Amino acid sequence: MNSFNYRFVLKTIGFLLIIESLFMMVATIVSFAFHETSGDMMLISSAITFFAGIVFRLIGTDDYEKPIGKRESFLVVALTWVILSAFGMLPYYLSGAIPDISNAYFETMSGFTTTGSSILLDIESIPHGLLFWRSMTQWIGGIGIIVFALAVLPMLGGNASVLYDAETTGIVHERFRPRVTQVSKRLWITYVLITGILMLLLWAGPMDFFDAICHAMTTMSTGGYSTKQASIAYWNSPYLEYVISIFMFIGGVNFALIFFLLKGVPKRLLKDEEFRWYGIICLIFVTIISTCLYFSGQMHDFEYAFRTSLFQVTSVITTTGFATVDYMGWGAFYSLIICLLMLFCACAGSTSGGIKIVRIIVLCKNAVNEFKRQVHPNAVLPVRLNGQVVPIDIVTKILAFLFLYLAILIVSFLILSFSGMGFEESVGSAISCMGNVGPGLGSVGPSGHFNDIPTFSKWYLCFIMLAGRLELFTVLSLFMPAFWKR
């Protein structure tokens, strides 16, 4: 550990805890605005988090100009999510809303990783301040607390790029060319702007102001926490379903491309291969599911079949997890499609989880090239994405990522089954939590919950939520002996 700049690690985490306490204070103000007794405990939680941040900061050093390597950045990012979740669960635990530590930590980690899996049995009974904090954890986690910190903490200086790369998703991070701090500011401005637009649209519908704010945050973060136990189905509103479907789709798009679109450069978005395939995949599966539901007689109104299919496909592929129906009742064919969408997920650089479509594209192109090499063994056939050659080391890393992703899923099926979960629940919860989707299959499906699963399973699912959110390598590297050597 002596080879690490551990003071930098502690001080950075301290700054992030201070930021978390300020967000928590906003939720505390909401609680007091509704005259809720839980506000006192939320205030205490915010104070504890703030002073813990001060302690971490004081232990650290002011030597931010000293360059750090990937090991420090990986450790900072991984510990940040673990520690912020530990302090983030305090409002639930101290207020008594979630009196079990395992459940409170599960709910918080599920929030920060934008997974959306929940242990709550009666969401409407939870005070407004806690519901607001619950939604805010997803909104913070959607774009990334590290990315937010880089936007407001210029003292990170030359260390910003390695932290940015360790947290953000995708196969490359070359969408912008200015300094990383400027990138972070642009991403957060775009994120806040779109969230505000969605909030106004939801408020214009049947939602009140509080519900509109909460659902705007959990939609743009593709998190899926709702203020109602029945989720979006509570309002039974076609208007809401179409609006949220559109913004869930937007949440699954690379935010750098959205920034260029808002800046008046739509060509960057339209020419992006991943975005085009993202749209095509959504269209194909919406068409398949809506057509099958209508002609099989399960739904007699085609507009309803289309709207329901559109909502569920965008909800699953973007890993949001909202629900208007329980798709488990549609049959095995539809459950299989849902599982495939959980694996594909949306675009790199978005707030969604999972494998990401860009990796699927690269692997498909590489597979086609392998067939061509069988006929022309001496041909030079590079993989191209958006007209640019993808370096062979990136292709190799994608292959390694996919192997690890599938291997962890298989091991997770076995571990969860051994812990006492049923087969359907084990498969569904592993795929869902690894991809940060939320609802799984069986009793942990859209109309179910995670409250009754074994305690060990909850902690293990927290681990794969984190590993999936940080795209494996950042977390798994910490378990390699070579990582800790000088």
Side-chain angles (χ1 to χ4, degrees), residues 255-275:
F255 265 78
L257 297 177
I258 296 176
F259 170 80
F260 284 117
L261 177 65
L262 296 177
K263 196 177 179 182
V265 189
K267 290 183 180 180
R268 293 289 293 271
L269 177 67
L270 299 176
K271 289 184 177 180
D272 186 78
E273 280 190 67
E274 185 183 27
F275 173 75

Side-chain angles (χ1 to χ4, degrees), residues 412-414 416-418 420-431 441-442 444:
S412 298
F413 299 160
L414 298 174
L416 293 173
S417 296
F418 183 75
M421 294 180 67
F423 174 76
E424 194 174 32
E425 286 76 14
S426 298
V427 172
S429 60
I431 294 176
L441 303 175
V444 295

Side-chain angles (χ1 to χ4, degrees), residues 312-323:
Q312 294 307 140
V313 167
T314 52
S315 177
V316 173
I317 198 171
T318 61
T319 72
T320 306
F322 281 140

